[in-house]
Amino acid sequence: MAALCPRTFVSPLVLFGRRLFARPQFPARHYHEKVLDHYENPRNVGSLDKNAKNVGTGLVGAPACGDVMKLQIQVDENGKIVEARFKTFGCGSAIASSSLATEWMKGKSVDEALKIKNTDIAKELCLPPVKLHCSMLAEDAIKAALSDYRIKQLDKNDDSVKASI
């Protein structure tokens, strides 16, 4: 005859207690590896001289989530973006979007940089729908920096016309 293993009796209260005090099992929400890379190793962090005529500054914010992004570009005499810097206060996705945007802008003309869209940034970083506002903020910062640069160029041309008169 086969030996029977004695069953240990476990009280339903013990099982209930374990469920009551166990850590909740929420679905894991992880950032994509590209977001983590730009968050942990951000590129082009810093500031440029906002008063320089060849520097454009864009400062945008999203009141709903508290993200604030400052993006600056430096343009050479040929119209190419030679430097891009950012400072962002916000979540990992906002920082990653800023970092990626500055990488993509370097070496492009002002008109080419204007073609960078939030959908391209979101796709590259694999942002979930709940974080799309971060890539939209980056696009808005790009547009604001380019606009500021163009306004300074108009002012510069007006000054040179006035000086020649």
Side-chain angles (χ1 to χ4, degrees), residues 10-24:
V10 178
S11 166
L13 291 177
V14 172
L15 293 175
F16 176 74
R18 285 185 189 158
R19 265 186 264 135
L20 185 63
F21 298 111
R23 292 177 78 191

Side-chain angles (χ1 to χ4, degrees), residues 47-102:
S47 294
L48 299 169
D49 180 13
K50 67 178 180 178
N51 297 321
K53 293 288 186 185
N54 65 336
V55 173
T57 302
L59 182 63
V60 294
C65 62
D67 295 336
V68 178
M69 193 177 291
K70 180 176 89 169
L71 192 139
Q72 293 181 299
I73 56 164
Q74 183 177 6
V75 183
D76 69 4
E77 55 279 344
N78 299 323
K80 293 280 184 193
I81 297 171
V82 293
E83 192 63 60
R85 300 276 180 186
F86 81 93
K87 285 188 177 182
T88 296
F89 175 80
C91 66
S93 296
I95 292 169
S97 296
S98 306
S99 177
L100 182 66
T102 58

